[in-house]
Amino acid sequence: MPSSAYLQGLKDQVARYAGTLRDVVILAPVYGLLMFTLMKDPRLTRQQRILVDAAIAYLVSPDDVIPEDEVGPYGFLDDVFCCAYVTHRIGEELGWDVVEEHWTGERSALEVSNNLLARECELLGGAGDDVLEFAGLLDRRSDSEAERPQLVLAADGR
């Protein structure tokens, strides 16, 4: 399915959603567009493309930690979290200016992504690692806490 058709369908689904955590659910098409456009950016390294590929695969799969087929648009919470994680990794590694070039959200990608990652327990009940593992971004069998990439956010959200 072409990315534009997928993104339009995603926009239509979340536009009608009026439930819990709507502020997060409506970010699904914004993050989807970001992932699809980042994939085309020649500045990404091979490893960064793998991260983006994983986020796209997680986003388009209806069968994930919170399946959209079962709970409707509320099921995009985990997808948005996964994309926020990848966005944060790319921003920190490549530079937030690159991410912001592709971002279409109202607030900065840095601010939104940091906010979402800080809200993991509220959004996912602490299941963030499950989402990252399902997406292939975290292997708990071989990663120790010391080896796992840590998200360190400054008090000002940077």
Side-chain angles (χ1 to χ4, degrees), residues 102-123:
H102 300 288
W103 181 249
T104 59
E106 292 178 19
R107 297 182 349 234
S108 76
L110 171 64
E111 179 185 353
V112 172
S113 297
N114 283 349
N115 177 273
L116 291 170
L117 295 173
R119 293 172 64 189
E120 175 198 351
C121 287
E122 174 193 0
L123 302 177

Side-chain angles (χ1 to χ4, degrees), residues 74-87:
Y74 181 83
F76 289 115
L77 287 175
D78 56 333
D79 304 76
V80 169
F81 176 83
C82 180
C83 289
Y85 175 83
V86 169
T87 299

Side-chain angles (χ1 to χ4, degrees), residues 54 58 63-66 77-79 81-82 85 120 124-141 145 148:
Y58 194 90
D63 183 28
D64 51 30
V65 174
I66 306 176
L77 287 175
D78 56 333
D79 304 76
F81 176 83
C82 180
Y85 175 83
E120 175 198 351
L124 303 172
D129 280 356
D130 294 336
V131 170
L132 299 178
E133 183 177 29
F134 195 101
L137 298 167
L138 172 67
D139 184 356
R140 287 191 263 197
R141 293 169 297 172
E145 283 299 312
R148 179 175 175 212

